[in-house]
Amino acid sequence: MAVTDEAIEKIKGMIVSGALRPGDRLPKESELAAELGLSRNSLREAVRALSLIRILDVRQGDGTYVTSLDPQLLLEALSFVVDFHRDDTVLEFLAVRRILEPAATAMAALRVSEQQLDALSAQLDRLGEAPSVEELVACDLEFHRGIVQSAGNSVLCSLLDGLSGPTTRARIWRGLTQEDAVARTLHEHRAILAALRDRDAEAARSWATVHIASVEQWLRASL
């Protein structure tokens, strides 16, 4: 493992230094191994590991390339890792979301277009007043993703996308067991949307905080 780690660090060093740039093709395996002073085996393991976290793209029959290194692509690995959370840590994920998402919602209030607002509104209209819990949770994910995307920060958007996974089960559980959860969620969504339409960043931030905190408080009392 230590040899593979060394190989990973050497390839990382080439990318960070600019010797390999986004979209570049890596030299042939034999050449790169000789250049870095590595065995072909350890180089192969390093390439496999870096492809799993979307640093490298192995194209069968064509070679290995550095990916675009776009934050959204790189942070996809976060959602994979986050899926392995234990149930007793879901509150910690919700706490992080409560820090980040209201900030993103406040940013969105100043940047979201009328077209994006109309799309969010249509999404809520399609959901209706008595959706199933599964429909509500799916809409909740898309609703917040749309808002965060309109904030214009791809790193923040990818981080929040990755953090949404652990909270999904909690939201479904809440919807199944808490009597007014559906009505409350719909009300909070409408309040967030109204604040966005008013371009009121602080009201948008406050409603987003209330929305996430209500799930967090309910779950804390239930565990």
Side-chain angles (χ1 to χ4, degrees):
M1 184 56 74
V3 178
T4 303
D5 287 345
E6 181 189 359
I8 289 171
E9 283 301 316
K10 287 186 174 182
I11 297 172
K12 175 185 169 185
M14 292 181 73
I15 295 171
V16 171
S17 69
L20 285 172
R21 304 182 64 79
D24 281 356
R25 180 177 176 172
L26 270 64
K28 289 181 181 177
E29 186 182 90
S30 56
E31 294 173 9
L32 186 58
E35 181 184 339
L36 297 178
L38 300 166
S39 71
R40 293 175 71 167
N41 229 15
S42 60
L43 177 60
R44 220 168 279 141
E45 289 299 318
V47 167
R48 188 176 292 120
L50 291 169
S51 67
L52 284 172
I53 57 171
R54 306 302 182 88
I55 303 293
L56 298 178
D57 178 20
V58 180
R59 303 176 190 172
Q60 204 65 37
D62 186 24
T64 300
Y65 292 79
V66 180
T67 67
S68 65
L69 302 180
D70 181 79
Q72 191 166 359
L73 182 68
L74 298 180
L75 286 168
E76 276 182 17
L78 173 66
S79 60
F80 178 79
V81 173
V82 162
D83 281 340
F84 289 96
H85 81 288
R86 303 187 314 274
D87 285 349
D88 60 351
T89 61
V90 70
L91 280 168
E92 295 180 18
F93 286 106
L94 277 166
V96 174
R97 189 177 157 221
R98 180 161 47 87
I99 293 167
L100 296 178
E101 193 161 314
T105 307
M107 289 167 61
L110 305 177
R111 300 183 182 188
V112 65
S113 69
E114 288 298 323
Q115 187 178 6
Q116 287 169 319
L117 287 169
D118 289 343
L120 290 170
S121 182
Q123 189 182 66
L124 294 182
D125 290 342
R126 283 195 302 272
L127 191 63
E129 295 302 318
S132 69
V133 174
E134 290 76 12
E135 288 171 336
L136 180 68
V137 171
C139 176
D140 190 51
L141 285 166
E142 287 305 312
F143 181 77
H144 292 290
R145 184 179 288 125
I147 291 172
V148 174
Q149 284 174 344
S150 67
N153 186 312
S154 61
V155 174
L156 187 55
C157 184
S158 297
L159 279 171
L160 283 166
D161 219 27
L163 288 169
S164 291
T167 63
T168 302
R169 194 186 325 176
R171 283 186 297 224
I172 290 175
W173 184 21
R174 176 176 179 242
L176 290 171
T177 59
Q178 188 172 327
E179 195 174 328
D180 64 342
V182 172
R184 184 186 300 180
T185 300
L186 292 172
H187 170 70
E188 290 165 358
H189 280 181
R190 291 287 181 191
I192 292 169
L193 183 57
L196 292 175
R197 280 205 183 277
D198 291 341
R199 308 292 174 180
D200 189 334
E202 287 312 307
R205 185 196 306 272
S206 297
W207 274 112
T209 303
V210 166
H211 183 55
I212 298 162
S214 66
V215 178
E216 191 179 351
Q217 288 167 358
W218 169 82
L219 187 58
R220 193 181 301 279
S222 300
L223 289 176

